[in-house]
Each structure stands twice: as structure tokens, then as C-alpha cells.
Amino acid sequence: MAWPLVNLTVTFFFLIFLLFQSCLSISLPLLLPPPHPRARPAMVLPLFPSPKNTSTTFPDSSHRLLRSDSNSSHPYARMRLYDNLLSRGYYSTRLWIGTPPQRFALIVDTGSTVTYVPCAMCEKCGTHQDPKFQPELSGTYQPVKCNLDCNCDKDRDQCIYERQYAEMSVTSGILAEDVISFGNLSELSPQRIVFGCETEETGELYRQHADGIIGLGRGDLSIVDQLAEKGVISDSFSLCYGGMDVGGGAMVLGGISAPSDMIFSYSDPVRSPYYNIDLKEMHVAGKKLDLDPSVFDRKFGTVLDSGTTFAYFPEAVFEAFKDTIMKELNSLKQISGAVPSYNDTCFSGISSDVSQLSKTFPTIELVFENQQKLLLTPENYLFRHSKVQGAYCLGIFQNGMDPTTLLGGIIVRNTLVTYDRKDSKIGFWKTNCSELWERLHVTSAPSPSPSPFPSPSPSPSPSPSPSPSSSSGKENSAFEMPPISAPEESPIYALIGEIEIGEISLDLALNVNHSYLKPRLVMLLEFMAKELGVNGSQVHLLNFTSEGNISFIKWSIVPSGSATYISNTTAINIISRLAEHRVMLPDDFGNYQLVQWEVKPPSKQTWWQRQYLVVLLGIMMFIIAGLIASGIWLWSRRRQAQIPYQPVDGAAREHELQPLQS
């Protein structure tokens, strides 16, 4: 009888637990797992050592706006940059090829010329971000027939290409011509361009996430050369890479007028086939390195390459640099890098706040022949240690036996770099590249100002992208889903007065397949929470639907911990970062659009809602006490029933006597 009572009690406790859990399930947030450790894969770069991955940040900079090239009436292509040096080792942009357009993510590379994408007939191509290009689906596709100006296939029918990279990756295929579009933000209309239709790839090219490469170097196949030769853009382009922990950035194909304080270096197109600068000196913490200026002019000279992740110095330069900087950092604790085989030089015990790095690490100056100096802050030569909090590593390495000085993407973080090929010079302007993208990002409406970086128009013209108040957020997935810029006079995220906010409800549209996104929702909201600076416990997933290739996510952010409301400042910051597209997501999630948002006041709870846990606990304790008391009473009654009661004078039952054992 006791065991059934125990089973009854256990069952009751289990039911109470389920009841308790169901009461809490309404308010339980989506619990987010910690992010995975960041890897540092090798980068793909032609003719130069295979770099690794990195990351870094930049202090606040001027908010001045740039103007378009007043000497040119050419249009330009404004294009967003994606990814960052830490997660990918490169920056990429989007191009659309064919009619109707097919989208591709291409690595931005000033060190190579051919622009290529994997084609449907490629059986030796890896799995990349987007589907392979299908020539048969494009009504404007045309292969380039064999001629005297190209290498031909064995049948002498089509032009072919082949490129080999330093780490021995190879891409090869046929040359073709088709219409290439530059996105909704471009003033430049779609153009017919010769590109590589890839039929085979090996090495890092096979394994990379991006689909291919956009070649910005000097050469007949370069997309810049082709557009400039057509006369549709001026012979210039600009890149601006985001900083540490931010990523992204902007690219402009075409000319812009330079800010008054942009510094320039002569770039000799005859000196080498790559974009070079006339570097003569290097200073560390104000101290000139004892080097012969000719050391920067050997082999290909000092090359600026957007596709390389880190900087690589000749042996003499690297040794002088490392000796000097180690003396400056002798008070810091030196530790091993995340990957021992890289032999990184890393330091620990440093603030994780990137804005404080300049208090610990010295500045570096690159001095050009004209005595103009490019100042490098710590984010331009450091990257975060991927396994140790508050640790950083040098992003400058020795270039083996190669005497070339190679300056990769880390050197120009948060720096607008203008490649003025017409006047043979390269300009550098320190700025916040994330903010520069916001200034680049306007609707396609013509502006009375000739600026390529105008302020957002208060009355944007119709666009394929949905407006912030749109309820559907539908869009043709073949085109980029650009962010909405808020008018400066009346931001779309303005709040009227000071209000107490109990919940921020957000509707996002992403141009990514529903079935692909569904198992990755937790990861997506994890990135969102991190980018917006909130805890995972504040994030609630409310709804998840799709239509075609567009996925719609309704989610909310609630106050943290014991707080009862979200401050107006925090709410505006969250909404504006999403509305202005300053939340940087991994490429896997495509582009997002903030369709609509809503702030709700804290819910006014009844006494029962505020005290239901206490009341529920009291009821549970009362029931448990009653069960225990009932159990004790039943147990005592059963024991009494098991002891037979006999009167003293009652007749006793006779028992058979057993013989005694002798």
C-alpha cells in the first residue's frame, strides 16, 4: 500500500512541474547558445603568399560628405561590401549576370583581372554561396569565339582562360559575354561585360564560400578596364573596408572627388602589373626604422592588394618592425596564437574595448616619397585572438624570401582608398567605412546634388525594395534587398516623447530560402542579439513564415533581467541600427529588410499575474503537506490493521505440538 502512495505522490509532483513549466512558457525567451570559435582559414590571392583571417576596429572619424568628380559626367556604380577579414579573410560584393539576372557573391580583388563565376557545366567546382550560373537561362549570354587576342580551346572554337594563384589554386573555363548589373543603388546601367564561365577549380577556390572573384586589377579582362574602355565610367574606383568587429563597407566603380585632406601616393602603372605605392619610410611610435628606402622598391615594389588579408614585409623590414614594436610592448604578456602552426605574435591582458587599443599599442606611419604620411592605428595591424579574451595578435608577417612589400586589407581598414588610374595615384582617407556605406546608401532617385554620398532624400522615389511601413516585404529575390535610409528631418525610428517601453516588436524580411533558414533561426537571432548589444535571454521568436524565396521573421526584444522597461535611447539605437542596415550578418543569411517595428508599453499586470508564482508555490506546499499528512495517517492505520486484537479472556487457537529434537 505504501508504494502506490509513493507513485501517486511522484505523479502529482510531475503534474505540478508540468503546470509550472506551462505557466512560464509564455514568457520564456529563446535561449541562444554561445557563438562558435572563430576560425582563420587561408585566403586566396594571386601571386602572393596565402594570408590568414583577421579582424579589427576604428575610432570615430569625420562625417564630412564626399562629392562626385566635378570634372566628369560619368555615372558610377555604388555597391555594398560584405563579410569581414576575421570570418572570411576577404570582402565580397554582389553582381548579377544574365537576363533575367542571376546573383553572385564575388571576392573583391585588386590583385587579379578576370571576373569569374562557376558555370552549370562545371563538375569540378565546389559548393558556394549561390547556385552556379546557367547560361541556357540567360537570353543575353554569348560565348566569346576564338580569335587572335585570346587563348583558344583545343577545337579552336571558344576563348578560354586559366589563372593560377600563389597557394596553387587554379580556376579555368571559357570566356563569355553577358549583361552584368550592379544592384539597385547603382547609377550605372547594366553593361555587357566579358567574364569567365568557370568549368574547373581547385584548392582554396574550391573550398571558399564566395562564388568567385571580381577582378579590379589592370588588364584587358578587368571589369574596371572594360567599363572605362566603354566610356561608361571614369578610369577610377574606390574601396572602403569596415573595421574590427564591424565588417562590410562600400565600393564605387567610377570617379569621386577627393576630400581636401586625402593623402596620395604616386602609383606607377609601368613599375609592376599591380597597384603599387611609392613607400620610402616607416615609423613606429614616432621612431623611424633604420632601413634603406630601396628596400620598399624591390621586385614588385610596395603593392596594395585588397584580396590579401594581412601585410607581408620583406625580411629586413619585418625584423626592424618587429624589434621596434616589441620594445614598445615589452610590458605586455606574450602568448601563443590560436593556431600554433601560424607562429603568431600575440599579447594578452588588454582591454576588449577597441577604442582603448591606442593607449597600449603605438601608431605606425607609412611615409611616401612626397612626405605625406598614412597613419595606421592599432586596428590597421592587429587582429583579435580567437580563443583568448582581451588578447590581440600582430597582423604583419614576413614575406618569406619574396622581397615584395605586400599591404593587404588589414592595413586599409576604415580607410577610403581611391585608385585613380587616370592620374596614376592612390589616395587614402581615414573614415568610418560603416558610416560611409550609410552615406552611400540612398534610393535610386536622382538628386539635385552631384554627390555620390548624399544625405538620404526626405521623399524617396519608388524602389523595388519594400518601404519601412510595408506589411509584406515582398521582393524579387534576384535583386539585392537594400536597406532603407531614414530622412534626416524625420527619422522613421523617431519616438514621440519619453515613454516606457516593455517590448520592441520587429518584422524582418530576408531573401533566403525558408527551408534553409528554419534550422538556423537560433543562430540568426544569436547574431542579431550580439550585433544589437542585448542578451540572448531578451530575444523572443514570435513567428516565422515565408513567401517564395523571402522569409519573414517576427521577433521581439524585452527588458533584461529584473528591468521593467527598455530605455528610449536603447530602443532607438536598436531600431535605427536595423533600419539603417548597420547590423552585419554572416553572408549565409542573405540581405535583410526591416519591414516594420512597434514599441509596446510594459504590460500592466493584475495582482494575480504579479504574485502567481508565490500563490502557486503556496498552493503546492499546502497540497504537499496535505499529501504527507494523509500518507502518514494511512500508514499508521494500516499498521494498526496488521496487529490482531484479542481479548485477554478470549479463546486462543490451539497449535499442534512438534516433537522435541534430541
Side-chain angles (χ1 to χ4, degrees):
M1 192 73 182
W3 278 111
L5 179 63
V6 172
N7 290 337
L8 177 63
T9 306
V10 171
T11 303
F12 180 82
F13 274 114
F14 180 71
L15 291 174
I16 291 297
F17 171 77
L18 291 179
L19 175 64
F20 183 75
Q21 189 180 42
S22 65
C23 291
L24 290 180
S25 63
I26 316 170
S27 59
L28 278 178
L30 177 67
L31 298 180
L32 304 177
H36 295 292
R38 296 174 179 176
R40 298 174 59 200
M43 243 323 288
V44 178
L45 240 240
L47 300 180
F48 293 111
S50 161
K52 300 165 280 184
N53 266 3
T54 121
S55 116
T56 0
T57 359
F58 191 65
D60 291 334
S61 58
S62 171
H63 286 221
R64 290 167 292 177
L65 303 181
L66 303 181
R67 298 188 301 275
S68 61
D69 187 350
S70 58
N71 298 323
S72 172
S73 60
H74 293 104
Y76 40 79
R78 294 193 303 268
M79 303 163 70
R80 186 181 176 202
L81 297 183
Y82 299 81
D83 304 302
N84 60 69
L85 292 179
L86 181 61
S87 64
R88 300 289 186 202
Y90 55 73
Y91 285 87
S92 65
T93 191
R94 303 292 183 268
L95 283 183
W96 289 261
I97 303 177
T99 309
Q102 302 173 44
R103 191 186 80 158
F104 299 95
L106 304 181
I107 296 172
V108 174
D109 189 5
T110 61
S112 59
T113 55
V114 67
T115 295
Y116 77 85
V117 296
C119 279
M121 69 282 283
C122 184
E123 297 180 355
K124 297 182 179 179
C125 288
T127 301
H128 303 298
Q129 178 173 326
D130 299 292
K132 298 172 184 175
F133 178 66
Q134 301 185 58
E136 67 277 7
L137 296 184
S138 174
T140 48
Y141 174 85
Q142 185 177 356
V144 178
K145 295 298 182 181
C146 180
N147 60 73
L148 296 177
D149 296 326
C150 73
N151 295 321
C152 299
D153 61 10
K154 60 181 179 180
D155 297 327
R156 308 292 298 174
D157 180 36
Q158 294 185 179
C159 291
I160 60 173
Y161 81 94
E162 181 174 334
R163 294 292 185 275
Q164 182 172 345
Y165 295 80
E167 83 297 339
M168 305 311 292
S169 292
V170 173
T171 175
S172 60
I174 63 173
L175 292 178
E177 188 180 48
D178 208 335
V179 174
I180 292 185
S181 306
F182 305 94
N184 294 337
L185 301 180
S186 173
E187 291 185 355
L188 182 63
S189 61
Q191 301 290 324
R192 290 194 68 86
I193 297 293
V194 175
F195 69 101
C197 192
E198 187 184 48
T199 56
E200 183 176 356
E201 62 185 7
T202 65
E204 290 300 322
L205 296 180
Y206 186 91
R207 293 185 288 270
Q208 73 188 15
H209 183 70
D211 302 306
I213 287 176
I214 177 171
L216 301 173
R218 292 189 179 104
D220 292 341
L221 288 179
S222 167
I223 196 168
V224 181
D225 280 74
Q226 293 188 61
L227 294 174
E229 182 68 22
K230 286 173 175 283
V232 296
I233 66 169
S234 57
D235 196 6
S236 177
F237 68 94
S238 299
L239 297 173
C240 201
Y241 284 179
M244 184 184 291
D245 302 331
V246 179
M251 177 169 82
V252 178
L253 298 180
I256 57 174
S257 63
S260 59
D261 53 347
M262 177 174 267
I263 66 170
F264 288 92
S265 171
Y266 175 62
S267 182
D268 187 354
V270 181
R271 172 67 182 78
S272 78
Y274 308 104
Y275 295 110
N276 56 78
I277 56 176
D278 204 358
L279 183 62
K280 293 301 180 185
E281 297 176 11
M282 185 179 296
H283 301 171
V284 176
K287 302 169 186 173
K288 178 183 175 182
L289 300 186
D290 187 14
L291 295 167
D292 186 330
S294 65
V295 73
F296 299 108
D297 198 36
R298 294 171 186 166
K299 198 176 179 180
F300 294 117
T302 299
V303 173
L304 192 65
D305 196 321
S306 69
T308 298
T309 308
F310 294 121
Y312 294 85
F313 290 170
E315 183 177 5
V317 179
F318 178 74
E319 292 300 332
F321 164 78
K322 188 174 181 180
D323 286 348
T324 305
I325 205 164
M326 292 300 284
K327 290 177 183 177
E328 294 292 323
L329 304 176
N330 58 8
S331 61
L332 297 180
K333 180 182 178 182
Q334 190 170 343
I335 62 173
S336 300
V339 182
S341 59
Y342 284 141
N343 195 28
D344 291 335
T345 303
C346 305
F347 306 91
S348 65
I350 306 160
S351 170
S352 295
D353 184 353
V354 179
S355 64
Q356 302 300 311
L357 288 180
S358 295
K359 297 180 179 179
T360 305
F361 293 93
T363 56
I364 298 173
E365 291 175 316
L366 303 183
V367 185
F368 304 138
E369 186 177 37
N370 56 12
Q371 292 305 301
Q372 288 194 312
K373 299 176 181 179
L374 174 60
L375 180 68
L376 305 182
T377 59
E379 77 162 342
N380 296 121
Y381 64 87
L382 294 175
F383 62 95
R384 284 190 188 276
H385 196 295
S386 61
K387 294 183 178 178
V388 179
Q389 183 75 12
Y392 297 83
C393 306
L394 294 180
I396 296 177
F397 303 90
Q398 184 178 331
N399 201 7
M401 300 304 295
D402 192 331
T404 299
T405 300
L406 178 59
L407 305 180
I410 192 173
I411 296 293
V412 291
R413 275 189 171 141
N414 278 318
T415 306
L416 176 67
V417 183
T418 295
Y419 297 78
D420 186 346
R421 298 159 30 122
K422 177 177 176 289
D423 295 326
S424 300
K425 60 183 181 179
I426 296 178
F428 302 89
W429 186 57
K430 302 293 285 186
T431 186
N432 187 314
C433 288
S434 298
E435 292 184 0
L436 180 69
W437 162 248
E438 300 306 327
R439 301 203 294 272
L440 276 170
H441 176 70
V442 293
T443 61
S444 56
S447 168
S449 166
S451 170
F453 305 87
S455 299
S457 169
S459 51
S461 63
S463 166
S465 59
S467 70
S469 59
S470 167
S471 60
S472 65
K474 300 173 186 175
E475 177 171 307
N476 185 342
S477 61
F479 288 93
E480 185 171 1
M481 193 185 300
I484 294 296
S485 286
E488 289 183 346
E489 295 81 4
S490 178
I492 63 170
Y493 43 82
L495 299 176
I496 307 301
E498 286 290 324
I499 59 175
E500 290 188 352
I501 300 170
E503 179 183 0
I504 306 172
S505 176
L506 303 157
D507 289 88
L508 290 185
L510 296 94
N511 60 342
V512 63
N513 185 271
H514 178 274
S515 59
Y516 175 85
L517 183 58
K518 186 174 182 179
R520 296 169 175 82
L521 275 176
V522 171
M523 185 185 301
L524 171 63
L525 293 181
E526 171 194 336
F527 280 112
M528 283 289 185
K530 183 177 179 182
E531 283 286 306
L532 297 173
V534 299
N535 297 324
S537 59
Q538 296 177 248
V539 177
H540 294 249
L541 178 63
L542 304 179
N543 197 14
F544 178 46
T545 58
S546 68
E547 186 167 338
N549 287 328
I550 303 297
S551 296
F552 300 96
I553 300 176
K554 187 177 186 67
W555 57 298
S556 67
I557 298 176
V558 298
S560 62
S562 58
T564 57
Y565 63 90
I566 301 171
S567 70
N568 282 223
T569 302
T570 300
I572 291 174
N573 178 62
I574 289 172
I575 296 166
S576 64
R577 284 180 63 83
L578 288 166
E580 297 171 3
H581 215 269
R582 286 185 281 136
V583 173
M584 306 302 298
L585 297 179
D587 243 10
D588 304 4
F589 298 114
N591 304 311
Y592 75 86
Q593 180 75 43
L594 179 61
V595 178
Q596 61 183 12
W597 57 269
E598 180 184 5
V599 294
K600 301 177 182 178
S603 58
K604 294 185 177 181
Q605 298 177 324
T606 63
W607 180 89
W608 162 253
Q609 289 173 323
R610 292 193 303 270
Q611 305 294 333
Y612 79 96
L613 284 179
V614 176
V615 173
L616 184 61
L617 184 60
I619 293 173
M620 288 174 60
M621 295 300 294
F622 177 78
I623 294 173
I624 292 169
L627 282 173
I628 293 173
S630 299
I632 294 173
W633 181 76
L634 289 172
W635 178 77
S636 63
R637 288 291 302 270
R638 180 167 176 78
R639 278 189 60 87
Q640 291 176 5
Q642 289 175 347
I643 301 174
Y645 172 74
Q646 292 180 330
V648 175
D649 57 348
R653 189 172 55 180
E654 293 184 359
H655 297 277
E656 182 180 357
L657 296 177
Q658 300 295 327
L660 295 175
Q661 302 294 326
S662 57

